[in-house]
Every structure is written in C-alpha cells, then in structure tokens.
Amino acid sequence: MRLRRPTTVTTAVLTATLTATALVGCSADAGESTSATTSDAASATTASSAVAGLTPEEAMAANAEPHASGADDEDLTWDESEEVAIALEGDSAQTDGDGVTVDGSTVTITQAGTYRVTGELTDGQIVVASSGDGVVRLVLDGASVTSSTTSALVVDDAASAVVVLADGSTNHLEATGAAADADGDGSTDEPDGALFSTADLTIGGSGSLDVVSAATDGIVSKDGLVVAGGTLTVDAGDDGLRGKDYLVVTDDASITVTAVADGLKSTNADDETLGYVAVLGGTVDVTSGDDGIQAETDAIVADATVTIAAAGGVGAEVAEDASAKGIKGDVGVVVGGSATVDVSAADDGLHSNGAVSVSGGEITLASGDDGVHADGDLTVADGSLTVTESVEGLEGATITLAGGDVKVTSSDDGVNAAGGTSSTSDTAGTTQDGTAPQGAPAGDGEMPDDFTPPADGEMPAMPDGAAPGDGTAGEPPAMPEGEMPDGAAPGGQAGGQGGGPGGESADTGDYWLKITGGTLVVDAGGDGLDSNGTIEITGGTTVVQGPTNAGNGALDTAGAFTISGGTLLAAGSSGMAVAPDTDSSQGWVAANLDQTATAGTVVHVLSDDGTTLVSYEVTKDTENIVYSSPEITTGATYVFQAGGTLGSADATGLSSDGSTDGATQVATATAGEFAGGGMGGMGGGGRRPGVTDSTDTTGEATTSGT
C-alpha cells in the first residue's frame, strides 16, 4: 500500500543531534535527542520509501484519476446545432434559447447544455446555477467579462463545467474588486477567483483566454481542474491556478502565470489520492511570489515544458515564514518522460517533505538553497539534471543515483545524504541551519551565540591560524561540553591505513548515498559527496571537484564508504580528505600531493610502468586526489603527475589519452592505503542563511507548513 501524507517528515531529523553527530569524531550526548533523531529519521525514510523512484505514470496511477483525460475528452465535443447563443452587450445581454436568464448585467445559466458567449460585459457576471445532471459547456468566442465586485465567471452549481476557447478567439475575464472573505486554504465556497467553480472544471479548445484578478486567485476549482488546451494568460493577486482536488495540465495547453502567491496549486489534504498537481503536456511559464508549483501531495511533471521563476529567483530575499520553492510536493515530486524543466528559485529548486524522483527529462535548476531537496528519498534514474547554482546541490536522507547525467554546482555540499527539515530538538531547540537559537548556550555540538558561519563552505580559522589535518595544528581546540569517549582523537581514523569514515552517527543506517550508474559531476565549495551515513558506489562515473579549504573534503562520510564498480575521481583539499574503505572490492588509490595543483593544471594517474590511466584538469587549487576504477589493483604502486595536456575529455572531464610531456611527479601511493586528512568535516544539513522553517524553543518540533 502506498504511504501518503508523511506528516512526520517535516520534523524528521532533529538538527541539533545531526550537528553533534556530524562533527565527525566529536561525541554527542546520545540521550533523548539522539533517540528522537533516529526514530524520526527512520520514519521519514519509511514514509517516503513507498513513493521513492516512481515514474510519472506510476505516480498518476497511485492518485485519483482526473475527471477529464485531455483534448480528446468527450466533454470537449458537442453538436453545434444545439448551442444557445448569449450576446453580451455592455451592461446587459441577449439570448435566444432556454436555460438562460438575464437580470441587468448578470447572466445566469440554469440548466445543462452548450452556450456560445460573444461580446462584452463591462461590469457584470456570468453565473452557472444548474442543479441537474449533465455538463454545462460555455464556448467563449470573443467574450469579455469584467466584474468590480466578484468573480467574472462563477460556476455556483453544476454536475461539471467546461469552458471551451473557440478556435481563433480572444477572450478576457477580470475581477477588479477586493479579495473575497475566504479562508487562505480555500476551504469555503466564497468565490475567490476571476474564474471560480464549485464543480469539476475543464478548460480546452484552441483559442486564448486572459484572466486578471486584482486581489484573488486567477482560476479556481473547488473540485478538480483540468486544462486540456488553449492559450491561458493569468495575472493574479493571489494564486494563479488552483484546483482543490487536483490540477492537471495536458496536451497542447499553453499557460503563462504571474502570481503574487503560488503559481499552480492543489490544496486537498484530506484524501491521500488527491491534492496533486500534474503537468503532463503543453507549456507552463510561471512567475510567482511564493512557490511556482505547490501540491499538497504529489507534484508531477512529464512530457511538458515548465519554466519557473519563484520568489524573485536566486539571490532574492525571502521572509522566514515564506515558501519560495520552484516545484514543491509535500508527499513527492516526480519528473520524467520528455519533460523540460527550468527553475530559478529563491529557495529550493525541487522540494518534497517526502520523496523526489527523476526518471527522465531535462531539468535545469538555479537555487538560493538546495537544488533538489527531499526529507526522505531522492532518486535519479534517468534524464539530465543540472544544478547551476545552489547552496547544497542534492540533499535527501537517502540518495540513489542510478542513471542519467547529473551536474551539480554548489557553494556548500554537492551531494548530501542527511536529515530533513527539523526545527527544534528535545532539549534547547535549534534553528534549521543547526545553530543555536539566539541566546541559547553553546554546547552539545552547538555553535556559540557570536559564531558567524563563513561563506561558501569555509571553516573558521583554527587556533593560531593552524589548519587541521596538516600536522601543524598542535593542540586541538577544546570540544564543547563533553569529552571524547575512551580518549578517541577527533576524526576517528586520522592517520589510519585506508580512508575511513570520520566518525559514526547515532544510526548511520538512516542515511546513505548510493551511486549505481549514470554520470555525476560535482563542483562543490563544501564537501563534494557527503553522507551522514554511508556511501556505496557500484557503477557509473563520478567526478568531484571539491573544496579548496581545509575544513571540508571532496569526500566525507560518517559511516562505511565502499566501492565495487564504476569510476571515481575526486579532487580537493587535503585537510579532511577521505578515501574508500580498505575492504572495498574495487581498487582505489589516494594521495596528498607534494605541491598544490593550481586551477587549470592537468593531473594524471599513472601505473608504475608509466601507463597513463586517467587525466583530469582541475578547476580549483587541488591538494588531494582519489581515483578508483577497474584498472586499479590493490597493493600496486601508482604515480601522480601534474602538468602536460588533457587530451580528449569525455562529458565528465576525464580523459584516457592525456599527455604527461612536461609534467612533474607530485605523489606516489599504494592502492588501498591512505593515511587520511584531518578530522572529518561537519555533516550536512546546511541551509541558506535567513531561510528556515519556523522554530520555537519549547522542545517541540515545529514547521512553517510551507
């Protein structure tokens, strides 16, 4: 059975505990806060596991079927000989058939049938009040209705309503008045849109419709809303298009939305099979003040072109209680088929309190926070996913990269398997970014009140300016409120043979990163690949250009790190460098370079007989290289050289025909052996400053509901 409504996911992981356990090697009080973290994290993973990795077809099958199938739906065809004509004439109207009454500037349709509407009402209204069975079909053919007091077109009562935009026609609906007195979630039947329906509403045809609402929503259905055709332009003082039960866009529909609040939205939170938004065809272009697409359950995109600018896009300031995501589904976000998605969002590009699944399409995201965020599972099985700008590129409790081509650029972690969006702990309470609330005492892994997080993944300077892990740091700084257990050194395995995890979290099984296929290219200002649990690579090609600062590494994990297939090349700083576990079934070689390979330098890995195995042009100053492929033999010696030329690189930047002419040897290493960098880096969960879910300090986990 499909699990829905993962309400615990929004408080899935207590950030204070994650911060403490992610200070790798640092002991956290494993009392109440740790227990709650483990339980909630497991709940988040379980709640999203049933929706993880779905295709759009599977996601639609798990939801209630919409009332209309698309442009070929039978409700969009009719016998023109049975039409009733309605001619709008300024402040009144004329009609020649049954089922219509005219009272001043109000035109009321009282029975099922087909009505062709032409002309203009300068300040009036069309009302559908049909209590019987059957479809009320309005064919707008050069119709314009403006209302200064309420909705321009309102379906007050009907079994179902259809608006057909006549071929070649231009139509206009506008509500110029103040907002209706309705609840913010649309729970009343008070008309609160320029086009408002209490019944299932279908919009189709091949004409155009402009909808303007000064203070309310543009188009609203209190049941389901299907847009199966036509060219819609919506300018709304609140939400653009809202269907309570669902909002579905199909076929050749073209929708352009400018909305003060959300662009496309569905609000039913009472039925696990409803409350979804599905863009299954056509084109959608949204400029929104809040979320571009917001679904109470699933946000689904397939075989459509979707462009979103949410809340001003990257770099815009966002209020703490606002939601500024590109595409948001509380239960799931599912993108696949031949979808083309381009998002610029002030907050996350794709966001779910449950699971995110990408099974196809071409997705480009620029984000002021996470490129893709899932409180539960994040799966990429196929398609192209490019995060051009982000704080953290991909974030989920569990992440599977099984196929497709993924490129990530981030100022902090590139790919981060970490907890969700918890806001408080069971103790003092923490904000979403893991720092202590104003005035809270430092300790138990918390930052002091006067701590200012550095930009772009930088770590604060160590005492006397010494960098961790380079042998010069001297006496390590005192750990806050607690001693290391059994005299363990910070970092767990610093200096040990083989790259080990930087420490164990309370339950690393709750978080993992698995790479089984496809390509992954990461350019990260913080950790390149970061897991608060485990990392497992069994296939694909992974290239990581990690940080330049010593406080992060190209690779970072709190648990096991195994590799049994595929290709991995990770380049970055040496202070907290990590390599795969020594019991990995595929060979790997890692080395701290004798001298920094500056940005633009080609680094080569050679076997001891001089054969070049791989060449890579580093894009940042680099001190450490980790390389694994089927060519690497554990126990054999390998040489690292810097200089020469790259040769013909593939899409990930790796080359097999680079030249070492003029290159200089910068390291030798034995495969399967690595002394490691310094102590492991702080785990994930970093957030964009100023964007958090709402918090309190009462010990109860809260969220903003966004």
Side-chain angles (χ1 to χ4, degrees), residues 544-549 552-554 570-574 621-626:
V544 179
Q545 179 67 71
T548 58
N549 67 82
N552 293 284
S573 58
S574 60
D621 290 356
T622 297
E623 299 171 341
N624 173 270
I625 298 287
V626 177

Side-chain angles (χ1 to χ4, degrees), residues 350 357-365 371-372 378-388 390 393-395 399-409 414-416 513-523 528-529 540-545 651-653:
L350 307 181
S357 173
V358 176
S359 60
E362 184 173 344
I363 305 166
T364 304
L365 308 173
V372 181
L378 192 165
T379 298
V380 180
D382 203 350
S384 171
L385 172 61
T386 302
V387 179
T388 61
S390 66
L394 310 181
E395 183 174 61
I399 301 175
T400 300
L401 304 179
D405 299 312
V406 180
K407 294 182 179 179
V408 172
T409 301
V415 179
N416 181 25
L513 166 62
K514 296 180 181 179
I515 302 174
T516 65
T519 65
L520 170 64
V521 178
V522 174
D523 184 337
L529 306 183
T541 299
T542 301
V543 176
V544 179
Q545 179 67 71
T652 67

Side-chain angles (χ1 to χ4, degrees), residues 84 86 98-100 109 111-117 136-139:
V84 175
I86 301 175
D98 296 333
V100 183
I109 297 170
Q111 66 185 35
T114 300
Y115 303 85
R116 185 174 292 267
V117 184
V136 175
R137 185 181 297 104
L138 298 178
V139 182

Side-chain angles (χ1 to χ4, degrees), residues 196-226:
F196 178 87
S197 176
T198 62
D200 286 335
L201 175 63
T202 304
I203 300 174
S206 56
S208 67
L209 172 64
D210 296 333
V211 178
V212 179
S213 180
T216 61
D217 297 342
I219 301 174
V220 178
S221 171
K222 297 295 295 181
D223 285 336
L225 172 58
V226 174

